[in-house]
Amino acid sequence: MKFEISDRMSKMKGSAIREIFKLAGDPNVISLAGGNPAPELFPNKELSEIAKELLETNPVLSLQYGVTDGYVPLRDLVKERLKAKENIGTEDDELIIVSGGQQGIELVTKVLINEGDVVIVEEPSFIGATNAFRSYNAKLVGVPMEDDGLCVEELKKAIKENKNAKILYTIPTFQNPSGNTMSIEKRKEVYRICKENNILIIEDNPYGELSFTDEKLPTIKSMDTDGIVAYCGSFSKVIAPGLRVGFCIAPKELVAKMVVAKQVSDVHTSMLPQLLVYEFMKRYNLDEYIERNRKLYAHKCQTMLDAIEEYFPKSIKHTSPKGGLFVWCDMCGDYDTGEIAKEVVKDNVVFVPGSTFMVDMEKKCSCFRLNYSTMSDEKIVEGIKILGNALKKIVE
């Protein structure tokens, strides 16, 4: 049978990162590509004990259907944590448990976007989000990134030129893929601009707790006195991604529709993973556990940055993130890192070409993203050395 693919899906491409994951499964391949947490940090012993107890003492709760908006004790616990740590949440907000932060983004899009509506995104930006917007036939408008976040003047220009802009999508803290963080001044200005123009902000913050320093900037959602921010978070990077447990806190009216949309998608997030997250947070000190993550990633990041300084051509610029999982590199010339990636994989090293993160994914791009969270120190250095030698040949 010949299938006629729907208009909204016919031009969409799968994530290049997911395709790279297939290669990364080869033990001979050094993957500097994905965004997986370090597997040695997974609390498998603790989760195993909790799962055994849940399935033996409360199998019905663990294995039966649940409510769409999430296990109530978990929702309450996440609300408490967000209020205490981030000053997030007002009486006009509600929280929904979702199947990873990605689903929160997709549900907001499903609820708000009509075909042809404009979504403004940072450029470069997270492909999971941009593909969610594409899947509803939104028009993507990119705003270039600067060292301290998106360019505010370009944001104003994008809004002026696109009267039907409905959403601004941003990762203000340790942005994916750049690793950069938006300044406090820009956070306030971005909020003001979007408020004046009746634009909803999706604030995506999967990496915010993975800071290498004690410096902490307020989230945009913590400034939200007007109900214009939907804040998406996840336990994927701080407990385990395979659990697929995330959350979105947003104005009650929006969350009510997201609940209906989620019923169509997956009925509810799986109960057992929700219970695992809840019990882990109740029994253990999540902040102490996150501190282990922070120290390991700070070390791995510095290992990569040191190797880049030693082995990369000096003409290549790179970010120096203060948290998160990624380093962004720019070859600063007429280069196609998509083609370079195809060549370097022959040497068993993989990275993600910059075009993956752009509004126009077909356009040649001189940038690329590196990840340091999953490989050992030795493999990080080896991978950067192999990649650096390849880049020197191309640059020279």
Side-chain angles (χ1 to χ4, degrees):
M1 177 178 179
K2 180 175 173 56
F3 295 100
E4 186 174 338
I5 305 300
S6 68
D7 292 342
R8 70 178 183 277
M9 292 299 296
S10 60
K11 295 181 181 179
M12 281 189 63
K13 293 185 176 182
S15 167
I17 302 169
R18 294 290 148 189
E19 293 302 312
I20 289 169
F21 277 173
K22 297 174 184 177
L23 294 170
D26 185 335
N28 297 315
V29 170
I30 298 175
S31 176
L32 307 176
N36 290 1
E40 62 265 36
L41 290 172
F42 293 160
N44 49 293
K45 180 176 180 292
E46 294 87 345
L47 293 177
S48 176
E49 292 172 354
I50 295 169
K52 184 175 185 294
E53 181 183 322
L54 285 169
L55 292 171
E56 288 180 350
T57 63
N58 208 339
V60 175
L61 180 63
S62 304
L63 301 176
Q64 188 56 278
Y65 285 116
V67 295
T68 302
D69 39 1
Y71 180 54
V72 174
L74 176 59
R75 289 172 58 213
D76 290 342
L77 192 58
V78 175
K79 287 179 186 178
E80 291 173 12
R81 180 175 170 80
L82 287 173
K83 191 64 177 177
K85 293 188 71 65
E86 305 288 355
N87 193 30
I88 285 176
T90 71
E91 61 182 14
D92 296 319
D93 285 322
E94 190 51 89
L95 184 141
I96 179 175
I97 299 295
V98 289
S99 298
Q102 170 73 29
Q103 190 183 49
I105 298 165
E106 195 269 344
L107 290 176
V108 174
T109 309
K110 181 186 288 188
V111 168
L112 292 182
I113 291 298
N114 292 314
E115 183 171 343
D117 283 343
V118 168
V119 177
I120 299 173
V121 299
E122 296 164 334
E123 192 166 37
S125 191
F126 171 48
I127 187 176
T130 54
N131 266 353
F133 306 138
R134 290 183 180 105
S135 72
Y136 290 95
N137 279 344
K139 176 187 174 184
L140 296 183
V141 175
V143 172
M145 291 289 289
E146 298 175 326
D147 290 345
D148 62 344
L150 60 76
C151 176
V152 171
E153 292 306 312
E154 289 295 324
L155 172 62
K156 293 177 182 176
K157 180 181 176 183
I159 293 172
K160 184 177 180 180
E161 293 176 353
N162 296 276
K163 300 301 183 184
N164 60 335
K166 276 193 174 179
I167 290 174
L168 167 67
Y169 172 73
T170 178
I171 310 173
T173 307
F174 316 134
Q175 198 246 13
N176 181 5
S178 72
N180 288 335
T181 294
M182 188 185 295
S183 67
I184 179 65
E185 293 79 14
K186 280 193 174 180
R187 292 175 192 233
K188 292 177 179 178
E189 183 68 359
V190 165
Y191 182 83
R192 184 192 66 78
I193 292 168
C194 289
K195 175 185 172 182
E196 286 184 357
N197 290 277
N198 199 32
I199 293 172
L200 179 93
I201 300 170
I202 298 179
E203 181 178 12
D204 193 8
N205 193 24
Y207 315 104
E209 296 201 84
L210 301 179
S211 174
F212 304 155
T213 71
D214 292 329
E215 181 183 4
K216 189 176 180 64
L217 293 177
T219 62
I220 299 175
K221 181 61 179 173
S222 69
M223 308 171 187
D224 187 20
T225 56
D226 299 275
I228 65 164
V229 182
Y231 179 92
C232 295
S234 172
F235 294 101
S236 291
K237 302 301 188 292
V238 297
I239 298 182
L243 295 175
R244 306 309 303 134
V245 178
F247 53 88
C248 180
I249 185 167
K252 289 179 179 178
E253 180 184 2
L254 179 57
V255 171
K257 284 298 184 183
M258 291 172 67
V259 170
V260 177
K262 183 171 170 61
Q263 289 168 354
V264 177
S265 296
D266 63 0
V267 183
H268 64 84
T269 298
S270 297
M271 280 302 298
L272 184 57
Q274 288 192 71
L275 293 169
L276 288 172
V277 171
Y278 173 73
E279 291 294 337
F280 185 84
M281 292 175 69
K282 291 290 287 185
R283 300 182 192 193
Y284 301 98
N285 188 322
L286 182 58
D287 291 330
E288 287 183 3
Y289 176 69
I290 291 172
E291 184 64 24
R292 291 169 50 205
N293 296 34
R294 293 172 60 193
K295 288 180 179 178
L296 180 64
Y297 294 143
H299 169 76
K300 285 177 175 285
C301 180
Q302 192 59 53
T303 299
M304 175 172 279
L305 293 176
D306 290 345
I308 287 173
E309 288 297 323
E310 182 172 357
Y311 295 114
F312 272 21
K314 300 307 177 186
S315 60
I316 294 181
K317 295 181 180 178
H318 65 83
T319 57
S320 297
K322 298 296 188 293
L325 303 179
F326 307 110
V327 173
W328 183 247
C329 302
D330 189 348
M331 296 183 69
C332 302
D334 186 25
Y335 301 103
D336 185 350
T337 53
E339 292 302 315
I340 295 171
K342 294 176 185 177
E343 291 302 312
V344 175
V345 75
K346 297 174 184 176
D347 296 321
N348 288 331
V349 174
V350 292
F351 64 86
V352 187
S355 58
T356 302
F357 307 99
M358 301 300 180
V359 169
D360 183 357
M361 296 171 66
E362 302 298 325
K363 189 176 179 180
K364 186 166 67 172
C365 181
S366 65
C367 301
F368 57 95
R369 191 192 78 177
L370 300 174
N371 165 261
Y372 44 77
S373 59
T374 56
M375 294 288 102
S376 67
D377 289 5
E378 294 74 20
K379 285 196 171 183
I380 290 173
V381 174
E382 183 184 355
I384 292 297
K385 183 177 181 179
I386 293 170
L387 178 55
N389 288 335
L391 293 174
K392 285 177 181 177
K393 292 178 183 177
I394 293 166
V395 169
E396 293 169 0

